[in-house]
Amino acid sequence: GNGYSLAITDDGKVWSWGNNDSSQLGRVTATGSPNALIPVEIPVVSGATIIEANAFAIPTKAHSAFIKNGEVYTVGNGEAGKLGNGSTANKSSISITNLKSQSGGAEITDIELGSDFTLFLNINKFPWGVGANETYQITIPDAFSHRSKGVDYYVPVLSSLTPVRIKLSSVDVSNAKQVSAGWKHGLLMIDNDALVLWGDSSQGQGVDTLTTRNTAKTVGIESPIISSGYKNTYVLKTNKTVQSYGQNDKGQLGDGRTVANSQAAATVIKNDNSILQNVKQIDDSTAITTNNDLWSWGIYPGDGSSFSRKAIQIAPIGKELEMTIEQGGIINGEKEIKITVKNYYNEPTVKFTQDS
């Protein structure tokens, strides 16, 4: 999330840490909702299978969601009704929502958080949305206002406090297999591997346009996985390369170019200008390859730089560290132990006293 993190451990426990300005960590203490410098367990959602942090809202507007036993639990800022409680009230503690019962009663299997809206899928492969709609991010069309001098006038529907079925003209979205939410745009992958996009496209994230897309765009891309960035769209193609669209002021496209944005497809490349290949997983501007290497591009890619226009290898996931421990001398009356750790980058030497 933006300034905070959520995690599930192998024993099914759920943890949170970081910024807690809007109670997005799901923890409340006697002194309010302070930030957490280390992971803190959230027992109420222990056993959750899906956790989702809000990567796009500012910390005071963030919300978190958890799927447990087919039900959705939420906490945090309630702007525009995005928590699924039927109101815009904030929640300082995690509680179950009405999203399952209000969307037909089917088990909910996936959920994605935009800045001020929420998208989710149920086991019947039907996509739903709740919250803000000012850029049609939950696909509610304009409502009839009045008729004057033979002309019908319509006004935007800015939000919905109850879930609405994602319905897109000329596109059958009844067999959705994955949903993704950006800042104010939505993505959907349906069973025939068609990518469907709607909502804000001010940077080209809606593909082939720089304006808000109030009707769906179906793109003929064969793709097993889709992902959204702030104002970006990422597609993992069947050839295991990554295609990107949208904002590029900080290299979010990952194709090495300095263009401000692109509504045309860009292909993510590596530092040596070769195409990033054999990708098995993407999430925003990060990718994991089949040999478990982690690659990142765009803003703060993880190598100490502020941004990168090409994919940078961060570290092999699961690589074992080599460590040696040897006895040192005596410092201020205490024994010194020298520990040398060889990792992916270098061989730092860290010194500890025996007590510590």
Side-chain angles (χ1 to χ4, degrees):
N2 188 356
Y4 75 106
S5 299
L6 304 174
I8 301 176
T9 46
D10 286 341
D11 56 7
K13 293 179 179 179
V14 178
W15 304 78
S16 65
W17 65 97
N19 184 283
N20 200 35
D21 285 350
S22 59
S23 300
Q24 63 267 44
L25 297 185
R27 60 189 296 265
V28 180
T29 68
T31 56
S33 303
N35 300 337
L37 300 181
I38 60 173
V40 178
E41 186 184 353
I42 317 174
V44 68
V45 285
S46 180
T49 53
I50 301 290
I51 57 177
E52 186 69 18
N54 193 322
F56 310 117
I58 61 175
T60 55
K61 298 285 188 178
H63 70 304
S64 302
F66 312 82
I67 298 179
K68 178 181 178 181
N69 299 326
E71 297 273 11
V72 174
Y73 294 70
T74 58
V75 68
N77 179 269
E79 179 183 19
K82 61 186 178 181
L83 291 179
N85 292 325
S87 77
T88 59
N90 301 335
K91 290 201 304 184
S92 59
S93 58
I94 297 175
S95 62
I96 196 169
T97 69
N98 296 321
L99 292 180
K100 178 181 176 182
S101 61
Q102 292 181 340
S103 59
E107 178 182 338
I108 295 175
T109 58
D110 194 14
I111 193 163
E112 283 277 314
L113 308 182
S115 61
D116 49 10
F117 68 104
T118 297
L119 301 176
F120 61 95
L121 291 179
N122 63 24
I123 199 169
N124 295 328
K125 297 185 178 181
F126 295 154
W128 294 76
V130 68
N133 188 62
E134 75 272 19
T135 61
Y136 306 98
Q137 58 266 54
I138 58 173
T139 71
I140 303 176
D142 293 346
F144 175 77
S145 172
H146 64 280
R147 184 177 179 84
S148 176
K149 297 180 179 180
V151 178
D152 292 337
Y153 291 86
Y154 294 81
V155 294
V157 179
L158 298 181
S159 65
S160 176
L161 300 181
T162 56
V164 295
R165 176 89 172 268
I166 300 295
K167 295 180 179 179
L168 304 168
S169 60
S170 75
V171 180
D172 179 11
V173 294
S174 60
N175 288 304
K177 64 180 183 181
Q178 187 190 352
V179 67
S180 183
W183 179 57
K184 291 183 183 294
H185 74 288
L187 307 176
L188 199 65
M189 185 61 64
I190 52 182
D191 268 351
N192 60 0
D193 288 328
L195 174 62
V196 182
L197 312 97
W198 65 92
D200 175 56
S201 188
S202 57
Q203 297 294 318
Q205 63 267 40
V207 181
D208 77 18
T209 181
L210 292 172
T211 59
T212 297
R213 189 182 294 284
N214 55 12
T215 57
K217 168 69 176 182
T218 303
V219 183
I221 298 176
E222 295 182 356
S223 169
I225 298 175
I226 55 175
S227 181
S228 298
Y230 177 66
K231 292 186 178 183
N232 290 90
T233 291
Y234 299 100
V235 178
L236 175 58
K237 299 181 68 177
T238 52
N239 65 4
K240 297 181 181 179
T241 64
V242 181
Q243 200 162 284
S244 58
Y245 305 82
Q247 192 170 13
N248 194 46
D249 59 326
K250 300 293 184 181
Q252 295 95 319
L253 292 178
D255 68 344
R257 293 183 297 163
T258 58
V259 296
N261 54 57
S262 177
Q263 65 267 40
T267 300
V268 176
I269 63 174
K270 300 187 292 186
N271 261 346
D272 62 3
N273 293 322
S274 63
I275 294 175
L276 180 61
Q277 297 179 321
N278 298 317
V279 176
K280 68 176 182 180
Q281 180 67 44
I282 56 172
D283 188 3
D284 201 337
S285 54
T286 58
I288 300 175
T289 53
T290 52
N291 61 353
N292 284 333
D293 284 343
L294 176 64
W295 296 80
S296 181
W297 62 94
I299 301 174
Y300 298 115
D303 67 338
S305 62
S306 59
F307 70 93
S308 175
R309 296 192 180 277
K310 301 176 184 179
I312 298 171
Q313 185 177 1
I314 302 304
I317 296 176
K319 179 180 174 63
E320 294 184 3
L321 302 180
E322 299 177 15
M323 182 172 67
T324 58
I325 303 176
E326 57 185 300
Q327 184 69 51
I330 302 295
I331 300 179
N332 296 328
E334 292 187 332
K335 293 181 179 179
E336 178 193 41
I337 298 174
K338 184 169 68 174
I339 303 175
T340 302
V341 180
K342 178 186 292 186
N343 64 14
Y344 178 69
Y345 300 106
N346 48 37
E347 297 184 17
T349 298
V350 184
K351 296 181 179 179
F352 300 94
T353 64
Q354 183 170 297
D355 288 343
S356 60

